[in-house]
Amino acid sequence: MAGANVYALLRQQGLEVREDTLATLLANTSYLPAVNNLVTLANEKGRKIQDQGVAVFKTPTKTTIDQVIYNYNKTLNDPKVADSAYFSQMTWFYDSSDVIWFEDQVRYAGALAEFKQGNVAVAMQSINKLALQNPEHEYFSTLGKLAVSLGAWELAIDYFKSSFQNGQLHIAPQLAFAYMEVGQADKAEFLWQQIQTAGDTVNARIASQMIRIIHMKIIDEVLFADASEKLAFIKYKYSEIPIEKLEALALSIDNQNIKALAFLQLFNRYVELGDMPAAARSLVQLGDLNLGEEAIVAEIDAAQCRYAYLTNDADLMSQSSWEP
């Protein structure tokens, strides 16, 4: 019990806990409230963990509150546990009990697990139902973010607008970025102007930068800007500036990680244009960079796999498990 309280304190204070430390702590406790706090801490830190617990739904009268909460935490941490049998058990459990106080949360976690397993339509429908029933919660925001991950920007705009209109004003930057992605600079600028005066220092700085980008007309205006502003120019001005000039701008970026993101943008644009030799040139530039962020390396790997399949390169495809 004391350990559970300590782990709760770690979470509340946002203190860092190494992944191996989490694993050791989990291996040495079977007290479910303590396990719950540790798995929740892992979720908040984005850490995958292995623990001895099992996410199951037994007879409602024999399932404790701690077990219900564990099911939720475990589903978020390891979507693979949420198979069809799991969902059948979960549905039966809630249909035959009075544990309605936590039903939405576990259904939400289950829907996210479905999404991560590739069952996109089922997941989006489940979360959309929750959003319609609870418009004041963050479900519309989540749907918008899931749409962004799919590249469905128009759909993301619809969800972000619903979230914003129901009081989640913090979603405004995501909505403004979505407008920029679909070329609706006027709507994006209106939102950025509101964000600029809202009092949040970080978002106000981003808003100022985005407004500058929107008003830039020629590449000379960004030649001496910082790396992040050059990346934003490449990302949002591709329809107005010749892509060869954007490629030269990307070469001038000194930050290796931001340069990688710039060339990934160019790679995607060249693929859209059907210019595979130019896309290959972007991949060569990416291969020459010294990168430290795993997420960016993963994006580069995905781009290389995409190129392999688009060009029917059998050698590259044989080295990949990626599917188009």
Side-chain angles (χ1 to χ4, degrees):
M1 191 177 296
N5 292 336
V6 170
Y7 306 148
L9 182 62
L10 289 174
R11 285 181 44 229
Q12 291 169 0
Q13 298 300 317
L15 298 176
E16 187 63 34
V17 177
R18 297 190 318 183
E19 196 160 349
D20 56 349
T21 303
L22 271 174
T24 300
L25 292 171
L26 281 163
N28 285 283
T29 182
S30 59
Y31 182 56
L32 202 51
V35 173
N36 266 328
N37 279 322
L38 287 169
V39 178
T40 302
L41 180 60
N43 290 344
E44 290 172 350
K45 300 297 182 183
R47 304 281 176 77
K48 287 290 180 187
I49 50 91
Q50 296 294 327
D51 66 274
Q52 306 306 311
V54 179
V56 294
F57 295 89
K58 300 178 181 178
T59 304
T61 56
K62 296 181 180 179
T63 301
T64 65
I65 290 174
D66 289 323
Q67 180 66 51
V68 174
I69 294 173
Y70 176 80
N71 293 341
Y72 168 75
N73 287 330
K74 183 66 172 179
T75 306
L76 284 180
N77 191 267
D78 185 9
K80 292 180 181 178
V81 305
D83 57 16
S84 58
Y86 174 95
F87 284 114
S88 295
Q89 290 176 1
M90 182 180 75
T91 301
W92 173 84
F93 178 88
Y94 283 114
D95 286 348
S96 57
S97 70
D98 295 323
V99 194
I100 59 172
W101 54 272
F102 209 63
E103 180 177 0
D104 285 353
Q105 288 91 328
V106 179
R107 289 191 185 278
Y108 172 67
L112 291 179
E114 287 269 29
F115 187 88
K116 291 180 180 178
Q117 293 182 56
N119 301 321
V120 173
V122 172
M124 299 284 276
Q125 288 170 3
S126 297
I127 301 175
N128 192 64
K129 182 178 179 181
L130 290 171
L132 293 173
Q133 293 171 341
N134 308 275
E136 74 282 4
H137 291 172
E138 294 285 339
Y139 297 123
F140 279 124
S141 298
T142 297
L143 286 166
K145 293 170 185 176
L146 294 180
V148 167
S149 73
L150 297 170
W153 290 103
E154 296 284 0
L155 184 59
I157 287 171
D158 289 342
Y159 284 133
F160 286 147
K161 282 171 63 178
S162 294
S163 177
F164 188 83
Q165 290 164 359
N166 282 288
Q168 280 84 53
L169 303 184
H170 62 85
I171 208 69
Q174 284 93 326
L175 178 56
F177 276 122
Y179 277 132
M180 292 184 75
E181 287 286 346
V182 299
Q184 297 185 30
D186 54 340
K187 292 182 179 179
E189 184 178 6
F190 176 79
L191 270 175
W192 287 128
Q193 288 172 343
Q194 309 309 308
I195 294 166
Q196 198 175 29
T197 59
D200 184 301
T201 304
V202 174
N203 283 335
R205 186 166 61 249
I206 294 171
S208 297
Q209 184 184 66
M210 291 301 106
I211 291 170
R212 285 198 304 274
I213 294 295
I214 289 170
H215 285 280
M216 288 178 179
K217 301 299 181 186
I218 59 174
I219 203 165
D220 290 359
E221 295 179 82
V222 77
L223 288 179
F224 299 103
D226 63 23
S228 63
E229 197 154 312
K230 288 180 179 179
L231 173 62
F233 189 91
I234 291 167
K235 185 174 177 64
Y236 298 115
K237 295 301 229 181
Y238 68 93
S239 63
E240 304 172 32
I241 306 293
I243 194 167
E244 296 80 7
K245 290 188 176 181
L246 295 178
E247 188 171 344
L249 182 63
L251 285 168
S252 72
I253 295 175
D254 52 6
N255 181 293
Q256 296 280 285
N257 288 320
I258 294 178
K259 179 180 279 190
L261 293 173
F263 274 104
L264 282 166
Q265 287 292 324
L266 292 169
F267 169 81
N268 290 327
R269 299 304 178 198
Y270 279 127
V271 169
E272 289 173 11
L273 293 170
D275 190 344
M276 299 313 291
R281 189 169 65 241
S282 296
L283 290 179
V284 170
Q285 291 291 340
L286 288 165
D288 291 338
L289 297 176
N290 182 22
L291 303 171
E293 291 192 21
E294 290 183 11
I296 296 176
V297 174
E299 283 193 56
I300 293 172
D301 289 342
Q304 291 172 332
C305 294
R306 185 183 180 196
Y307 176 84
Y309 276 87
L310 289 172
T311 58
N312 292 314
D313 188 316
D315 289 336
L316 284 176
M317 284 191 285
S318 67
Q319 302 170 28
S320 167
S321 60
W322 182 83
E323 295 181 3

